[in-house]
Amino acid sequence: MSKVKYYYDKESLSYRKIERKKRTTFKYASLFILAAAFFAFIFVFIASQYVESPKERALKRELQNTQLQFELLNKKMEHAEAVLANVADRDNNIYRVYFEANPIPEEQRRAGFGGINRYKNLEGFDNSKLIIESNKRLDILQKQIVVQSKSLDEIAELAEEKEKLLSAIPAIQPVNNKDLTRMASGYGMRTDPFTKARKMHKGMDFTAPRGTPIYASGDGVVVRADSGSSGYGKHIRIDHGFGYLSLYAHLYKYNVRKNQKVKRGDLIGFVGSTGRSEAPHLHYEIHKDGNKINPINFYYGSLTAEEFNKLLEHASLENQSLD
């Protein structure tokens, strides 16, 4: 209850009650409200600068978590880029070198994206530059992965072809060493046993008893098993693919037929002396793209270094051939 105030009236020589005018009361009330509003604004302003609201604290935590996740994402991208760079290096300098394939140019691996602005929808935000750069980096990384994936698919195909090639190349001696009487004649200029003239001998002669097993020197398909070629007598021709063909002449009998598929080491026939032959032996030839080449270079699959050196020594002698 407010106090009642009085004043002394000199005219009436008495105390009179002070009556506050309504205008004065309104003025004081207005001043109080304005002052309260001003101090409230000051308080709210100071509080907003130094005191966080629950909503602000939640937004701040969310922002911190977003920044942490972004840093982790960047580290993962750095790790992925390093792993991909290592794979690309091995792809270019090991796999493609081994399979004789051209390396993928660096500009093709790291090419960006031309044409329209792919990131227009990311512009206009506080962190637009950062978001756009991260998206570009991720897109390039994804493109590099696609390029590398296609490259590895190509390498897998080359590896499969290489495996077929290694199996197909005539790489073993067609007659076992234990069955040989001797290596009678090698590739090169030799004396003809019938005319005694020197002429080119385009194969190797392995002397062995009649009926000695003869083995396919590589995977392939028998394209001939007949005696229809002059001088060869009964002979077998195997097409190994990749331009390679092996020929086995003067056979006693066959163990395969035309169009039959054979594997390296399969028994295909037996040593004889049919056709233009002076004694039982195997005349062996290798053709590459239609040209007869020296078989001495294709025995890495069955001979030791010592055996190969001995064979090379005998093959180099300019003696008389047997056919």
Side-chain angles (χ1 to χ4, degrees):
M1 186 174 179
S2 59
K3 295 180 179 179
V4 179
K5 293 184 178 181
Y6 296 89
Y7 73 95
Y8 181 71
D9 187 358
K10 293 181 179 180
E11 293 181 359
S12 62
L13 300 176
S14 63
Y15 288 94
R16 293 182 180 275
K17 186 178 180 181
I18 299 174
E19 298 288 343
R20 180 176 294 178
K21 296 179 180 179
K22 290 182 178 180
R23 187 170 60 183
T24 302
T25 301
F26 177 77
K27 183 175 72 173
Y28 284 137
S30 299
L31 287 173
F32 176 78
I33 291 171
L34 286 173
F38 175 75
F39 283 110
F41 174 78
I42 295 297
F43 176 79
V44 170
F45 177 78
I46 294 174
S48 66
Q49 297 298 314
Y50 301 101
V51 180
E52 294 179 342
S53 68
K55 185 176 182 180
E56 287 175 330
R57 283 196 295 270
L59 289 173
K60 187 175 181 180
R61 284 196 301 269
E62 186 176 343
L63 180 60
Q64 288 174 340
N65 182 61
T66 302
Q67 290 174 337
L68 176 62
Q69 295 301 321
F70 184 77
E71 290 173 3
L72 292 175
L73 178 63
N74 269 336
K75 288 181 179 178
K76 288 179 180 179
M77 283 197 292
E78 287 174 5
H79 178 70
E81 287 169 344
V83 171
L84 190 58
N86 180 264
V87 173
D89 181 66
R90 284 185 291 169
D91 183 22
N92 274 351
N93 299 311
I94 298 178
Y95 308 143
R96 289 184 166 270
V97 170
Y98 178 76
F99 294 112
E100 301 175 355
N102 292 325
I104 297 176
E106 187 65 20
E107 56 270 19
Q108 182 179 339
R109 289 184 182 275
R110 302 192 62 83
F113 299 89
I116 61 172
N117 183 2
R118 299 166 57 91
Y119 311 103
K120 189 174 182 63
N121 62 318
L122 300 176
E123 295 175 351
F125 300 99
D126 291 340
N127 297 309
S128 287
K129 185 177 180 180
L130 189 63
I131 296 170
I132 290 171
E133 287 302 317
S134 295
N135 275 272
K136 281 183 179 178
R137 189 175 174 186
L138 187 59
D139 286 343
I140 291 174
L141 185 60
Q142 289 175 332
K143 184 177 180 181
Q144 289 175 340
I145 291 173
V146 171
V147 171
Q148 187 59 59
S149 176
K150 290 181 178 178
S151 175
L152 291 177
D153 289 342
E154 182 183 350
I155 292 297
E157 291 178 7
L158 290 172
E160 186 176 351
E161 286 299 306
K162 191 81 169 184
E163 185 178 0
K164 290 178 181 177
L165 171 62
L166 293 175
S167 298
I169 289 176
I172 65 170
Q173 190 172 283
V175 180
N176 286 333
N177 266 350
K178 64 181 180 62
D179 297 326
L180 289 178
T181 304
R182 63 191 177 95
M183 208 292 291
S185 181
Y187 182 94
M189 296 302 296
R190 299 292 184 268
T191 302
D192 186 278
F194 299 100
T195 66
K196 304 304 178 183
R198 292 181 77 250
K199 71 173 187 178
M200 187 64 184
H201 185 245
K202 296 183 178 180
M204 296 185 73
D205 291 342
F206 296 94
T207 303
R210 183 172 181 268
T212 299
I214 299 170
Y215 303 97
S217 55
D219 295 1
V221 178
V222 177
V223 290
R224 290 189 66 171
D226 57 58
S227 57
S229 287
S230 176
Y232 285 128
K234 290 184 178 180
H235 77 290
I236 294 171
R237 301 188 193 210
I238 299 176
D239 185 357
H240 302 279
F242 306 96
Y244 288 98
L245 182 140
S246 58
L247 183 149
Y248 314 77
H250 311 305
L251 274 60
Y252 161 59
K253 64 178 181 180
Y254 311 111
N255 194 54
V256 291
R257 63 185 181 279
K258 185 179 178 180
N259 297 325
Q260 180 177 333
K261 291 183 179 180
V262 294
K263 294 288 187 181
R264 179 183 292 149
D266 284 354
L267 177 64
I268 59 172
F270 301 90
V271 171
S273 188
T274 57
R276 191 175 185 273
S277 172
E278 189 179 57
H281 74 286
L282 170 68
H283 175 80
Y284 176 63
E285 294 179 2
I286 293 180
H287 302 184
K288 178 67 170 73
D289 298 325
N291 299 313
K292 297 177 181 180
I293 58 178
N294 194 345
I296 196 72
N297 301 314
F298 292 85
Y299 296 140
Y300 64 83
S302 59
L303 301 179
T304 65
E306 184 180 351
E307 289 171 334
F308 180 78
N309 288 333
K310 188 175 180 180
L311 181 66
L312 185 61
E313 181 182 349
H314 286 293
S316 302
L317 298 176
E318 286 200 26
N319 53 6
Q320 179 178 288
S321 66
L322 295 177
D323 48 35

